[in-house]
Amino acid sequence: MALRKFHTRPLLLVLLIGFFSLFAFSRAQTTNQTDYSGPSLPSLIPGLEEQIDVNLSPKNPAPNQPVNISLSGFGTDLNRATISWIVNGTVQKTGFGVTTFVYTAGSAGSVANISVVIVPVNGNRVTKEIAIAPASVDIVWETSSYTPPFYKGKRLYPPQETLTFVALPNLVSNGVAVDPNALVYKWSLNNSIVGDKSGFGKRTFSVTGDILNQPISVSVDVSLVKNNISGSGAVTVAPENPQVLFYEDSPLLGILFNHSLLNQFNLTGAEVTLAAYPYYFSARSPSDISVNYTWAINDSALSLSPHQNNVVFRKPDGADGQSKVGVAAVNPKNFLQSAANTLMINFQKNNQNVSF
């Protein structure tokens, strides 16, 4: 009985070695030769083949804007799958590995229902549903920088000034334009969401520039409270350098805003009153305390009030020559708001300089 046990153990060991050798050989064959006929690993895990994302660019299309739609994910080999794109019940595109589709959005208020049917080689059919409801959002901005009377242009944004943005949404629900005050606004500043200035009815957004003097990029996402209609808009505003310009102050007509004095001025009378007007300063008037002026004649500073924006220049009797008048303006609180200008005054009969 003891002798039989002695001979059985080697036989059992030989059988185990043969079994493991056969298993290793079979494993090597499986590794070197992929079998596509059987189910793939993802199809053996419930729900894994459905991890497919639908990506839209842009995410919130405007009316009549092309929308790029693409598929991405794991668990299913999309390149070998049969993919069909169906718009409002009509097949628009189908084929193997058709992972991208371009759709042109309709008018504001329209809704396009897009279905994406994905049939993998070894897996269950997956259907993705997309609803595209185009909407547009315009953003206008304004600033309180100073411009002279009758100025026809837009007040530009100077450094360290406050900008106010207003969203003008065009969202249509059930054929009716939605009240802008009944929408939810999500504002972003330089790609960072500003939560405390976002929310229901918050269609305005204000920001003050800093000393870095960089462009300000603002975007907003606008949506209805109870459905998925949404739109977005974005705008970038770059700071502009302030300016100071010369105008003639006529005794009869007042400030001649129709013609700024550039480079040279021919003094034909006995005197002229020059007025300096700032553009794009944080001021309410040219004589505001937010603007300090420094006047000079032939590079010699004049002793005047820092808030005086006009000076009378006279020529001596029989004078003949040229003098350079200069003015520099600066905001004492926002030092990046500064500007300077010079004007050559020509007069006749003598080489004496203009006086004031």
Side-chain angles (χ1 to χ4, degrees):
M1 189 68 178
L3 183 60
R4 182 175 300 174
K5 288 183 179 180
F6 178 80
H7 289 289
T8 302
R9 290 178 179 176
L11 178 60
L12 180 60
L13 181 61
V14 171
L15 291 176
L16 289 174
I17 293 174
F19 174 77
F20 283 113
S21 299
L22 181 61
F23 175 80
F25 177 76
S26 175
R27 181 66 175 172
Q29 292 293 324
T30 304
T31 303
N32 295 331
Q33 297 180 1
T34 304
D35 184 10
Y36 290 107
S37 61
S40 60
L41 178 61
S43 65
L44 299 177
I45 303 177
L48 185 58
E49 71 277 1
E50 298 182 6
Q51 303 303 313
I52 300 173
D53 294 325
V54 181
N55 309 298
L56 276 70
S57 179
K59 293 183 179 180
N60 297 316
N64 306 313
Q65 183 180 18
V67 184
N68 295 303
I69 310 173
S70 61
L71 301 177
S72 63
F74 64 92
T76 297
D77 188 355
L78 295 177
N79 293 322
R80 300 174 63 231
T82 301
I83 303 174
S84 300
W85 298 85
I86 305 170
V87 179
N88 294 329
T90 303
V91 177
Q92 300 292 330
K93 193 174 182 181
T94 186
F96 291 104
V98 185
T99 58
T100 60
F101 179 68
V102 178
Y103 173 74
T104 301
S107 59
S110 64
V111 179
N113 296 307
I114 301 177
S115 301
V116 189
V117 180
I118 306 155
V119 182
V121 174
N122 300 312
N124 298 324
R125 185 177 70 175
V126 179
T127 301
K128 295 289 183 178
E129 301 289 344
I130 312 162
I132 296 181
S136 62
V137 180
D138 295 323
I139 300 178
V140 296
W141 60 269
E142 62 182 5
T143 181
S144 59
S145 64
Y146 179 77
T147 55
F150 310 110
Y151 178 69
K152 295 182 179 181
K154 183 181 181 68
R155 293 181 178 182
L156 301 183
Y157 159 60
Q160 298 178 279
E161 178 60 280
T162 298
L163 275 171
T164 299
F165 299 87
V166 181
L168 303 177
N170 180 22
L171 274 66
V172 179
S173 179
N174 298 323
V176 179
V178 182
D179 181 2
N181 296 316
L183 297 170
V184 178
Y185 297 83
K186 183 172 68 175
W187 291 96
S188 296
L189 174 62
N190 297 326
N191 298 320
S192 297
I193 297 175
V194 185
D196 59 340
K197 296 185 178 181
S198 301
F200 181 81
K202 295 184 177 182
R203 57 183 304 205
T204 62
F205 174 79
S206 296
V207 60
T208 300
D210 54 29
I211 61 174
L212 297 179
N213 202 26
Q214 297 296 314
I216 293 179
S217 296
V218 168
S219 61
V220 62
D221 293 329
V222 184
S223 60
L224 273 72
V225 176
K226 296 184 178 180
N227 61 31
N228 60 354
I229 299 178
S230 61
S232 61
V235 66
T236 298
V237 182
E240 295 286 341
N241 293 323
Q243 301 179 35
V244 58
L245 298 182
F246 291 110
Y247 293 94
E248 181 182 358
D249 188 353
S250 170
L252 298 177
L253 302 176
I255 305 295
L256 304 181
F257 287 113
N258 62 322
H259 178 67
S260 62
L261 303 180
L262 303 176
N263 301 323
Q264 297 191 32
F265 174 75
N266 295 321
L267 180 57
T268 57
E271 64 180 32
V272 63
T273 301
L274 296 182
Y277 271 77
Y279 280 73
Y280 320 132
F281 279 78
S282 299
R284 295 186 177 181
S285 70
S287 57
D288 196 303
I289 60 173
S290 298
V291 184
N292 288 349
Y293 299 95
T294 301
W295 289 87
I297 184 168
N298 294 327
D299 298 325
S300 296
L302 304 179
S303 180
L304 300 171
S305 168
H307 306 303
Q308 182 174 337
N309 78 308
N310 55 63
V311 178
V312 178
F313 293 93
R314 302 181 182 91
K315 69 174 181 179
D317 294 336
D320 185 6
Q322 187 181 63
S323 291
K324 181 174 70 171
V325 174
V327 65
V330 63
N331 185 331
K333 295 183 178 180
N334 300 334
F335 64 91
L336 292 180
Q337 295 182 15
S338 62
N341 200 356
T342 59
L343 179 70
M344 300 301 297
I345 299 181
N346 302 316
F347 51 94
Q348 298 177 350
K349 297 298 183 182
N350 206 324
N351 289 330
Q352 298 180 33
N353 289 339
V354 174
S355 61
F356 70 97

